[in-house]
Amino acid sequence: MASSGDIAVADRREARERLVGILLIVASAALFGCVDGLSKLLTEVASVSQIVWARYALAMPVLLAMTPAATRSTLFRTGRPGLLVLRGLTPIGVSIAMVLAVRYMPLAEATVILFAAPFLVVALSVPVLGERVNLSRWIAVAVGFIAVIVVARPGFDELSHFAIFPMIGAVFYAIMQLVTRRATAAGERPLTILAWTLLAGTVAATPALFLSWQPLGLKGWLLMLGLGTSFGFAQLMMIAGFARAPAALLAPLAYVQIVSAVIFGMVVFHAVPDAWTLAGIVMIIGSGIYVVRHRGA
């Protein structure tokens, strides 16, 4: 039987792991906001397939840099190739949907609608992952969906016609997070999960690349490289975060991506969110903070 001291040490260790997981998800979300911002910039000079391909193929240098030389030969070693291929293909759905979304919509609005995903994760973490979801997280789910409806305003203006793109992206994003949690809970290494993600994404995106290639200048290539690097680090930190804490706790914390997208949009595109979008942002951020402050409720 474990002593009270051992239990206290284990509790502190678990608390530290959860804190690290939270910090990694926050950093990842901030980078994902930049990923979508860079994608919007690239829509002016590159095709959708080029932008999607760059997220995966040009993230490979990040993976190689983060992998110790002694373990590179075992990078793709896994007993669950089917699960990791599925995990690798789901971000493609997110990428295509969000590239189309930011082509036709302001960055902030598209990002807020995408944030139906974290609340889908909370709702599905019970039947899919068997995790316990407390009252505070169900409240966050309800507030999050209301916020998405507030921003999308279905049927009220031209914005609603394009809202389908980030909504589709939200479904793929939720599946990606759930599969990530399942893979990490099964003991898969974050670098191995990222390796399979980048490989599957590159293989799937390459055929379309040759069908719609557009010549790129120096600016275009620099943006593509920045996109791939940001995507690689964002994916790695997200995977590492989900390896340390429950999906239902971490998913709502990705609201930081909204803040990142708003700042990027204001600085680069001089786009100031309207009152409806700001209301949705406040609701989603508030629900995320509520989850953190009431983890046991």
Side-chain angles (χ1 to χ4, degrees), residues 28-94:
S28 171
L31 268 182
F32 273 125
C34 295
V35 166
D36 289 332
L38 290 170
S39 296
K40 187 173 180 66
L41 281 171
L42 274 165
T43 58
E44 300 173 0
V45 297
S47 66
V48 172
S49 59
Q50 282 175 290
I51 298 170
V52 173
W53 175 83
R55 291 187 179 208
Y56 295 91
L58 300 185
M60 283 293 183
V62 175
L63 174 62
L64 295 176
M66 297 297 293
T67 306
T71 62
R72 283 176 189 160
S73 61
T74 64
L75 191 58
F76 289 90
R77 184 176 297 171
T78 177
R80 306 168 186 84
L83 183 65
L84 296 194
V85 168
L86 174 61
R87 201 277 170 192
L89 293 177
T90 50
I92 294 181
V94 182

Side-chain angles (χ1 to χ4, degrees), residues 125-139:
S125 61
V126 176
V128 176
L129 300 176
E131 295 181 354
R132 185 178 69 88
V133 178
N134 56 36
L135 178 61
S136 66
R137 294 172 194 172
W138 283 119
I139 292 173

Side-chain angles (χ1 to χ4, degrees), residues 212-243:
S212 59
W213 180 264
Q214 295 178 199
L216 296 173
L218 178 60
K219 177 183 176 181
W221 278 111
L222 289 175
L223 286 173
M224 294 264 277
L225 183 59
L227 175 64
T229 302
S230 300
F231 182 78
F233 275 112
Q235 285 281 343
L236 181 60
M237 286 188 288
M238 184 185 74
I239 294 166
F242 275 96

Side-chain angles (χ1 to χ4, degrees), residues 32 36 93-95 97-98 101 105 107-120 148 151 163 165-174 257-258 284:
F32 273 125
D36 289 332
V94 182
S95 298
M98 285 305 291
M105 297 174 64
L107 181 59
E109 279 82 343
T111 304
V112 173
I113 296 171
L114 177 69
F115 267 68
F119 304 103
L120 285 173
V148 170
V151 175
F165 294 129
M167 287 179 179
I168 292 172
V171 174
F172 281 102
Y173 193 17
Q257 184 172 341
I258 300 173
I284 289 179

Side-chain angles (χ1 to χ4, degrees), residues 133-193:
V133 178
N134 56 36
L135 178 61
S136 66
R137 294 172 194 172
W138 283 119
I139 292 173
V141 169
V143 173
F145 275 115
I146 293 171
V148 170
I149 292 172
V150 166
V151 175
R153 302 188 293 281
F156 290 103
D157 59 19
E158 68 279 2
L159 178 62
S160 65
H161 299 304
F162 300 114
I164 188 64
F165 294 129
M167 287 179 179
I168 292 172
V171 174
F172 281 102
Y173 193 17
I175 295 172
M176 177 180 69
Q177 291 187 335
L178 290 169
V179 175
T180 299
R181 179 60 178 169
R182 173 162 287 184
T184 55
E188 295 291 346
R189 297 176 301 161
L191 286 176
T192 296
I193 297 173

